Amino acid sequence: MSNQPTTESSPPAESTPPVVLLTGASGYVGGRLIPLLEQQPVKLRCLARSPEKLRQVVQDSTDIVRGDVLDPSSLEPALEGVHTAYYLVHLMSGSQDFEKEDRQAAAYFAQAARKAGVRRIIYLGGLGEDADPDLSPHLRSRHEVGRIFRESGVETIEFRAGMVLGAGSLSFQLMKSLTDRLPVMLCPRWLTTSTQPIAINDVLAFLLAAKDLPPGESRIIEIGSPDVMSYGDLIREYARQQGLRRSLIFVPVLTPYLSGLWLALVTPASFTVGRHLIEGLKNPTVVRDPQAMEALGVHPVGVTEAIRQAIQESDATP
Ligand SMILES: NC(=O)c1ccc[n+]([C@@H]2O[C@H](COP(=O)([O-])OP(=O)(O)OC[C@H]3O[C@@H](n4cnc5c(N)ncnc54)[C@H](OP(=O)(O)O)[C@@H]3O)[C@@H](O)[C@H]2O)c1
């Protein structure tokens, strides 16, 4: 028995923590978010196509529900009672027509979230100018997913990021594999495109901060490190930190299609994924409006430090 007197203003002895649904939990960003959410005063529920793969990486208190964002019947139970839902799904790898499937999945998810009374969707998409007529299908599709959520009636925080610098990030792995293996690189012109990558730890800090924002309007928050640079400079900085001497020779004839083939030869990434990502490299991915990210109180590290952390994480990963 407690000696503590109960007053009318005391909170209930046991208040139910809000339920947070994490999709993409088996992916890189989602997987890194799991332990951070498990430290929060929330009840974590992960949606996974293969729950058995996740069981050993989550705490016993975390629920795992089987679900597929392309199967609307699986979303209703997954979203039941959910307060905040993270959408960190990337369909691109297995799909022939990822734009259509992205759209379909976002619509199913938004509809189920609305029906379940979800208060907020937090989505991580890609940087890039909406008005750019040459926006790659990959970035166009990432933006469309955000728009579907924002127009769904469920408050949506859409983060837009460029390359995530972290050991398990596919785009970082592509850069690492190429730079590690090729002393001389024939580079297409888009390696001069401006980009503003971001460290994985900063992405995670933004994703967490979004959960605790007061209720408000749906919004887009562009996030990035303080450094804008070209992809070529990014490769040079990675090589410098690894003590590698690398020559980049720029040729105009390497089309994105050929680059994808070339990537398939030298990297572990599949041809399809590599090609879609490469197509996106021609589009500048820079933060146009830093005010929204500044308001969240996260101060991203610079690219030099972000690469250092990613290399350290890679070295520590078996
Ligand atoms: N990595 C980057 O550099 C970067 C940069 C900017 C933005 N982003 C964004 O961040 C988000 C997460 O990226 P990531 O790098 O973590 O991706 P990732 O490692 O490829 O993970 C993708 C996740 O999506 C899940 N998924 C795929 N199809 C699904 C389906 N039909 N139903 C349910 N889940 C499905 C996968 O689960 P399975 O294990 O079942 O396949 C996996 O958990 C994406 O929206 C991406 O656009 C990433």
Side-chain angles (χ1 to χ4, degrees):
M1 281 283 279
S2 160
N3 295 330
Q4 208 84 50
T6 309
T7 64
E8 274 188 24
S9 58
S10 302
E14 278 185 53
S15 58
T16 320
V19 179
V20 169
L21 180 75
L22 177 64
T23 66
S26 58
Y28 178 56
V29 179
R32 290 289 312 270
L33 196 57
I34 291 173
L36 303 179
L37 285 172
E38 286 177 335
Q39 286 166 22
Q40 298 281 313
V42 302
K43 173 75 181 163
L44 181 60
R45 184 187 295 165
C46 297
L47 175 138
R49 290 190 291 184
S50 312
E52 55 290 348
K53 284 195 211 154
L54 266 189
R55 195 66 263 175
Q56 60 249 27
V57 298
V58 301
Q59 290 179 0
D60 290 345
S61 56
T62 295
D63 292 333
I64 306 174
V65 292
R66 187 182 298 276
D68 184 325
V69 290
L70 288 165
D71 171 9
S73 68
S74 69
L75 297 178
E76 203 166 308
L79 283 158
E80 193 184 333
V82 166
H83 183 281
T84 299
Y86 284 92
Y87 193 85
L88 303 178
V89 168
H90 216 192
L91 295 174
M92 207 166 58
S93 45
S95 168
Q96 290 296 314
D97 186 354
F98 67 87
E99 282 193 89
K100 190 171 156 211
E101 291 193 352
D102 259 349
R103 188 179 309 127
Q104 188 75 79
Y108 287 152
F109 195 81
Q111 205 175 9
R114 193 190 162 120
K115 197 169 163 204
V118 170
R119 308 285 174 84
R120 177 173 293 158
I121 295 173
I122 301 173
Y123 162 61
L124 178 62
L127 280 170
E129 272 285 336
D130 284 312
D132 183 349
D134 285 332
L135 202 62
S136 74
H138 170 227
L139 290 176
R140 197 168 60 210
S141 187
R142 297 283 81 197
H143 288 196
E144 188 182 12
V145 167
R147 186 176 52 71
I148 290 169
F149 289 153
R150 281 184 277 113
E151 291 175 358
S152 70
V154 181
E155 187 203 311
T156 299
I157 307 291
E158 176 185 354
F159 286 105
R160 291 186 174 179
M163 181 191 283
V164 174
L165 293 170
S169 166
L170 180 58
S171 45
F172 175 75
Q173 287 177 340
L174 285 174
M175 178 183 77
K176 175 173 164 37
S177 297
L178 287 174
T179 317
D180 287 348
R181 293 173 198 210
L182 298 176
V184 179
M185 284 188 227
L186 290 182
C187 305
R189 273 215 206 112
W190 42 250
L191 252 82
T192 58
T193 310
S194 293
T195 188
Q196 199 166 348
I198 183 163
I200 179 67
N201 287 337
D202 292 325
V203 172
L204 298 171
F206 279 117
L207 289 171
L208 277 185
K211 177 177 71 61
D212 297 327
L213 284 171
E217 297 285 306
S218 290
R219 69 205 99 156
I220 295 171
I221 304 180
E222 297 181 325
I223 55 175
S225 79
D227 302 320
V228 178
M229 53 171 54
S230 70
Y231 286 105
D233 287 339
L234 204 56
I235 287 174
R236 290 190 191 95
E237 176 55 23
Y238 170 81
R240 187 190 69 75
Q241 292 198 27
Q242 293 286 54
L244 301 167
R245 284 171 66 87
R246 294 294 179 253
S247 300
L248 273 58
I249 300 169
F250 288 85
V251 287
V253 288
L254 215 55
T255 63
Y257 178 77
L258 285 175
S259 307
L261 274 176
W262 175 65
L263 284 177
L265 289 175
V266 297
T267 75
S270 77
F271 166 72
T272 318
V273 179
R275 188 158 66 88
H276 292 316
L277 286 179
I278 289 289
E279 279 168 2
L281 299 187
K282 66 177 189 223
N283 303 120
T285 43
V286 294
V287 175
R288 309 269 166 189
D289 171 17
Q291 276 180 359
M293 94 167 149
E294 283 160 10
L296 283 178
V298 177
H299 304 287
V301 298
V303 165
T304 301
E305 174 58 17
I307 291 179
R308 193 193 65 72
Q309 291 174 4
I311 292 173
Q312 198 176 37
E313 192 191 354
S314 288
D315 291 346
T317 311

